[in-house]
Amino acid sequence: MSALPALAVAVPLLLAAVLAGAQAVCGRRVADLLAIAGALTGLAICVLLTIHTGHGLTVYWFGGWRPRHGLALGIAFAVDPIGSGLAAFICGLTTLALLFSCRTTGVKAPHYHVLMLTFMAGMVGFCLSGDLFNMFVFFELMSVSAIALIGYKISEQAALEGALNFAVINMIGSFLFLTGIALIYAHTGALNLAQIGAALAHGGDHRVVVAAFVLIACALLIKAGMVPFHFWLADAYSVALAPVCILLAGAMSELGLYGLARIWFSALAPGLHRHTAVLSAILVALGLLTALWGAVMALRELDIKRLLAFVTISFVGTFLAGFGLLSPEGIAGVAVYVVADGSAKGLLFGCVGILQARRGVVGQARLHGRGRDLVGTGVLFALGGLFMGSLPPFGTFLGKAMIDDAALRAGDGFLPPVVALASALTSAAILVAGARVFLGWGPPLPCRPGDADAEAVSGDDAEADLAVRTPRVMTAAVIGLAVVVVAAGVYSPLDDLATRAAGRFVDVGAYDRSVLHHAVAFRSSAGQPPHWFDYLYGAGSVLLALAVAAVILWAPQRGGLLRALKTAALAVTAPLADLHTGRIGDYAAALVLGVGAIGALMIAVMR
């Protein structure tokens, strides 16, 4: 068991190296099988780690460099149930994405498979690392892999522009992250998270740590796609292959929040604990702003991939608000929500991938009514839309209910209705798209030359390559993702397991003792099932989504109150849409302004 944490990263990297070295003799089928085997092996290892860490923390010291007298010179993987559970989810999602890829056109062996395995290895290493600098190393590994995967369709200008936007913005984030690490190392002389926490717990002037935290937080919020750092995300996600989008939307964005939570609770909270209330207010406000912004933009979007990208932004905002409560109950709710929501978004991107394979476009104008014969895909897409509206009793409902209960305990009674509104709007956007494409409901949309709807999405989806039937592996992967969402809701012990794991995640003292002194003594807590009002919020969110969808689809073309409301909503939200210019210079300027504003606010209130 002691070597399992290292193997979780080593196995996919070794298989990636084998595939890269054997490219001359490695065909598509062999590459598919080896890549899926690597992802399944990672999944099995991470599941074993999650089971093994059920009562504490598993610490693996590379090279046997264990700490002496509380000083850590070696590099450690500190594995807790939240980290290993997220790593297991990432491996499972990668397995289904690779299964979906088996019949995706435009995939060339073995380069694509190498990138997917290194992407997975980077994300898993980030989840398991107990060392601040090595979190940065894995942060870079997954970023570089993601850049290559986003720009994989290298013959297309849109793919290159999306990859360039991602690369520039995330490299700026990397510089912020590295600068923050340098400041913390200069102040504490440590890079191990537990040792940083122990050094800061002794007291003293930690203003430089506040500045470092601001830089690291902004870097990780860029990765997550928070407002105002989110502009790159829709451009990048809209041009990537569907299986890549399953990983980007289902796992990578959430890793930014996981990193922020890990660094705060394991390293910085002991020295900055007096600022907890102020930090909580800032994070909750940013999260709710992001949730509403993403939801509004999703309603305006006609390209289905971009629509789902804004859905991703909205739900990551909800996760930030849940984490921003800085309580074990909030962390538990986010953990459940991430698994269910990530699977639901993977389901939706999988359906879009099937549409691309069968129709060659993803714009609602060109697809209007052309999905009537894709009954199974339409049902799964509609189910995904209802999942995003927190339909009881499924996994997304359970995660949202746990966050709502945590907010009420913290005295933030405004959070549940705002989150319900954001969920309803995103669900409505998905249901409208599904109704237009698979049922032909609503008036036909104009398709003007130059619009995204007016053009085929990609060369690999050209008419000559369109599938006559939906490949079974694609259907199996999408159904597998739907099963995860259902299972997360109906598996009754999940809320209790997540709450216990979150209690250990925030237990700073026990984490430090386990890593530095080999002592295990974590506190335990128990979860609570959803209350009756949680079901009302869930049902209300779905009903509101259906009502908004009906207004969008069937509002009169001329006159009438509904038409006036629809026109007013479009006019009010038009300035937000105008900010998404697609120009990297504008996005970089927004990033600089955002870092300056958030940094000034945090430094002013956390002195």
Side-chain angles (χ1 to χ4, degrees):
M1 184 65 69
S2 60
L4 281 182
L7 290 175
V9 176
V11 168
L13 288 179
L14 287 173
L15 273 176
V18 169
L19 285 171
Q23 58 180 309
V25 296
C26 186
R28 172 71 181 272
R29 181 167 296 183
V30 173
D32 286 336
L33 290 175
L34 286 177
I36 292 173
L40 282 173
T41 303
L43 173 61
I45 292 172
C46 291
V47 168
L48 288 175
L49 286 173
T50 304
I51 296 172
H52 187 256
T53 57
H55 300 289
L57 196 72
T58 296
V59 184
Y60 176 78
W61 293 96
F62 287 85
W65 285 73
R66 296 179 176 273
R68 296 293 186 270
H69 308 294
L71 297 177
L73 296 178
I75 298 171
F77 272 0
V79 186
D80 71 304
I82 294 289
S84 59
L86 181 57
F89 173 66
I90 289 167
C91 293
L93 207 59
T94 304
T95 302
L96 292 174
L98 286 168
L99 181 65
F100 192 95
S101 302
C102 289
R103 295 297 301 275
T104 301
T105 57
V107 170
K108 298 185 183 302
H111 305 93
Y112 169 83
H113 305 82
V114 169
L115 290 171
M116 290 289 277
L117 288 173
T118 57
F119 190 30
M120 185 187 87
M123 291 190 287
V124 170
F126 188 83
C127 292
L128 304 184
S129 182
D131 181 274
L132 188 56
F133 184 77
N134 279 276
M135 290 183 74
F136 171 76
V137 171
F138 288 117
F139 181 92
E140 287 302 289
L141 176 59
M142 64 177 166
S143 295
V144 171
S145 301
I147 292 168
L149 287 168
I150 290 169
Y152 190 80
K153 296 180 287 186
I154 196 170
S155 61
E156 299 179 23
Q157 181 178 350
L160 293 177
E161 289 177 352
L164 178 63
N165 286 349
F166 179 93
V168 171
I169 298 302
N170 279 270
M171 287 306 104
I172 295 174
S174 297
F175 283 120
L176 296 176
F177 198 173
L178 191 58
T179 304
I181 292 172
L183 290 176
I184 289 177
Y185 182 67
H187 185 71
T188 64
L191 290 172
N192 182 276
L193 295 176
Q195 190 171 332
I196 292 171
L200 295 179
H202 293 152
D205 187 352
H206 298 319
R207 282 179 290 185
V208 68
V209 179
V210 173
F213 175 69
V214 168
L215 295 174
I216 292 174
C218 288
L220 294 171
L221 293 180
I222 290 170
K223 180 68 69 179
M226 290 295 119
V227 172
F229 308 130
H230 69 289
F231 292 101
W232 61 270
L233 191 144
D235 294 340
Y237 286 19
S238 64
V239 298
L241 293 169
V244 176
C245 289
I246 290 174
L247 283 181
L248 292 174
M252 193 191 74
S253 294
E254 288 78 358
L255 280 184
L257 299 185
Y258 169 81
L260 188 60
R262 169 57 75 198
I263 292 170
W264 171 258
F265 284 112
S266 300
L268 303 184
L272 304 180
H273 61 89
R274 67 181 183 278
H275 303 302
T276 298
V278 172
L279 178 62
S280 175
I282 294 173
L283 295 178
V284 169
L286 280 176
L288 295 180
L289 173 63
T290 302
L292 292 174
W293 189 306
V296 168
M297 289 303 302
L299 278 174
R300 293 184 56 94
E301 191 55 62
L302 296 181
D303 181 280
I304 303 179
K305 272 192 173 181
R306 288 182 63 87
L307 184 157
L308 295 179
F310 285 115
V311 169
T312 299
I313 292 170
S314 178
F315 277 90
V316 174
T318 299
F319 302 154
L320 178 61
F323 157 62
L325 298 172
L326 300 180
S327 67
E329 295 82 10
I331 295 294
V334 171
V336 173
Y337 214 164
V338 163
V339 172
D341 172 79
S343 301
K345 285 184 296 194
L347 158 68
L348 291 166
F349 272 112
C351 291
V352 173
I354 292 173
L355 279 172
Q356 277 189 302
R358 297 293 301 273
R359 298 293 182 265
V361 290
V362 293
Q364 294 180 47
R366 285 285 300 274
L367 284 172
H368 193 275
R370 292 179 62 194
R372 287 190 178 96
D373 60 323
L374 304 177
V375 178
T377 304
V379 170
L380 288 169
F381 193 87
L383 189 60
L386 295 175
F387 285 156
M388 304 310 280
S390 303
L391 178 68
F394 303 114
T396 47
F397 162 74
L398 177 60
K400 179 182 175 299
M402 293 173 71
I403 291 177
D404 290 348
D405 293 346
L408 294 176
R409 290 186 185 185
D412 293 336
F414 58 87
L415 190 149
V418 176
V419 170
L421 175 61
S423 299
L425 295 180
T426 54
S427 177
I430 296 166
L431 293 174
V432 166
R436 285 171 173 163
V437 172
F438 296 104
L439 298 173
W441 288 358
L445 299 170
C447 191
R448 298 181 296 273
D451 287 350
D453 288 339
E455 302 172 0
V457 175
S458 62
D460 55 83
D461 292 314
E463 289 295 332
D465 296 328
L466 295 183
V468 177
R469 298 177 60 185
T470 302
R472 292 180 180 177
V473 290
M474 288 186 173
T475 303
V478 173
I479 291 175
L481 290 163
V483 169
V484 174
V485 185
V486 175
V490 300
Y491 181 59
S492 55
L494 183 60
D495 58 341
D496 187 62
L497 293 174
T499 302
R500 293 179 186 276
R504 299 185 183 104
F505 186 85
V506 304
D507 193 344
V508 180
Y511 179 87
D512 290 351
R513 291 190 298 272
S514 296
V515 174
L516 300 178
H517 303 288
H518 320 298
V520 180
F522 283 87
R523 66 188 183 189
S524 183
S525 54
Q528 292 185 350
H531 298 91
W532 61 268
F533 53 81
D534 293 318
Y535 287 93
L536 287 181
Y537 268 122
S541 177
V542 172
L543 291 175
L544 179 58
L546 294 172
V548 173
V551 170
I552 294 173
L553 289 170
W554 292 304
Q557 296 301 300
R558 295 182 180 179
L561 178 60
L562 292 180
R563 178 63 182 174
L565 288 174
K566 184 177 177 181
T567 303
L570 289 173
V572 170
T573 57
L576 300 183
D578 292 340
L579 293 175
H580 299 78
T581 63
R583 294 189 290 268
I584 187 60
D586 296 342
Y587 295 172
L591 186 153
V592 171
L593 289 174
V595 172
I598 294 174
L601 175 62
M602 285 189 175
I603 291 174
V605 300
M606 296 176 66
R607 289 182 297 179

